[in-house]
């Protein structure tokens, strides 16, 4: 059954551990219906159970966000189950093209498509709801995209060049969307995380960044 049309809905695209789970808990505690979208069913199942244990209803939607053609169907499924999308949170990313001189150049498409093409397609699909409800687009980004010599050296050393390029492109897209959508009353914001988040795959055991704080 669909929730009451009075309930607000957040769609978390690219759901996983860490920041996206903390966001789901935060918005759920504020009374939002939470839609979890990701490609990995096991990750979604774990998220649903963790949130239900806190009294938060969070239906899962299995989708490959790199498939732009699947995105309109995702938004329709979320609307059918929970109503209009008031907030879109983009947490999806992909690695690839880590060593720019050692890979097929076409490999760069994967991280770029997730960071830019798929994000834009999801904003476009959610736009009628966002406009009607004066909604928000929230984007998680990584510090590898910063234009800084030390960051660039780190991206090369860690063989994360593709992700660094994708993060930089995503940052520019967010800025352009913010400028274009401000007249519609839609908030577009980005958080750039300068390090590994505790308890995630990026954490080697030394991270002190708490997802709930971010």
């Amino acid at each position: 059954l669909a929730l009451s049309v009075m309930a607000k809905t957040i769609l978390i695209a690219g759901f996983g551990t860490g920041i996206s789970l903390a966001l789901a808990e935060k918005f759920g505690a504020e009374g939002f219906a939470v839609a979890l979208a990701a490609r990995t069913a096991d990750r979604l199942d774990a998220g649903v159970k963790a949130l239900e244990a806190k009294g938060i209803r969070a239906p899962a939607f299995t989708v490959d966000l790199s498939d732009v053609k699947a995105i309109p169907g995702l938004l329709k499924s979320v609307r059918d189950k929970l109503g209009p999308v008031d907030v879109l949170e983009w947490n999806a990313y992909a690695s690839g093209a880590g060593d720019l001189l050692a890979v097929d150049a076409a490999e760069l498409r994967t991280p770029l498509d997730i960071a830019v093409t798929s994000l834009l397609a999801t904003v476009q699909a959610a736009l009628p709801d966002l406009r009607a409800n004066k909604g928000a687009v929230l984007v998680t980004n990584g510090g590898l995209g910063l234009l800084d010599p030390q960051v660039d050296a780190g991206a090369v050393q860690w063989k994360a060049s593709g992700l660094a390029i994708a993060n930089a492109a995503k940052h520019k897209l967010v800025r352009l969307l913010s400028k274009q959508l401000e007249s519609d009353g839609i908030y577009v914001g980005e958080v750039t995380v300068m390090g590994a988040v505790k308890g995630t795959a990026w954490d080697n055991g030394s991270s002190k960044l708490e997802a709930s704080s971010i």
Side-chain angles (χ1 to χ4, degrees):
L1 296 176
L3 293 181
S4 166
V5 294
M6 296 301 292
K8 291 186 177 181
T9 297
I10 178 171
L11 167 58
I12 298 181
F15 176 78
T17 59
I19 293 173
S20 56
L21 178 58
L23 272 166
E25 292 174 349
K26 173 66 175 176
F27 276 83
E30 295 292 333
F32 276 71
V34 183
L36 310 179
R39 182 175 55 185
T40 307
D42 290 347
R43 186 186 306 164
L44 289 170
D45 290 342
V48 169
K49 290 176 182 176
L51 293 166
E52 285 182 345
K54 298 192 174 200
I56 299 169
R57 185 186 178 205
F61 300 85
T62 304
V63 62
D64 182 356
L65 291 169
S66 68
D67 182 3
V68 174
K69 293 181 179 178
I71 289 173
L74 167 64
L75 268 293
K76 182 180 185 305
S77 296
V78 173
R79 288 186 184 107
D80 288 347
K81 194 168 191 71
L82 300 174
V85 174
D86 297 86
V87 180
L88 166 64
E89 198 280 327
W90 190 261
N91 194 60
Y93 70 93
S95 300
D99 183 342
L100 295 177
L101 303 184
V103 299
D104 185 328
E107 190 176 314
L108 187 57
R109 291 175 183 165
T110 299
L112 271 174
D113 277 347
I114 288 286
V116 177
T117 311
S118 294
L119 170 55
L120 178 58
T122 309
V123 170
Q124 290 175 337
L127 197 52
D129 295 349
L130 297 174
R131 279 181 169 148
N133 300 324
K134 306 296 182 186
V137 178
L138 309 178
V139 178
T140 307
N141 208 346
L144 285 175
L146 296 183
L147 304 181
D148 177 271
Q150 289 185 326
V151 172
D152 294 342
V156 171
Q157 177 185 346
W158 302 324
K159 291 182 170 46
S161 293
L163 183 58
I165 292 169
N167 286 352
K170 179 163 59 173
H171 177 66
K172 189 64 174 182
L173 173 61
V174 170
R175 290 177 62 89
L176 295 174
L177 287 173
S178 177
K179 182 60 64 176
Q180 190 161 359
L181 294 175
E182 63 183 350
S183 61
D184 289 316
I186 299 172
Y187 174 83
V188 181
E190 175 188 59
V191 170
T192 299
V193 184
M194 299 295 296
V197 177
K198 197 172 180 179
T200 65
W202 297 93
D203 181 14
N204 63 7
S206 63
S207 177
K208 294 180 173 56
L209 291 177
E210 294 283 356
S212 58
S213 299
I214 296 170

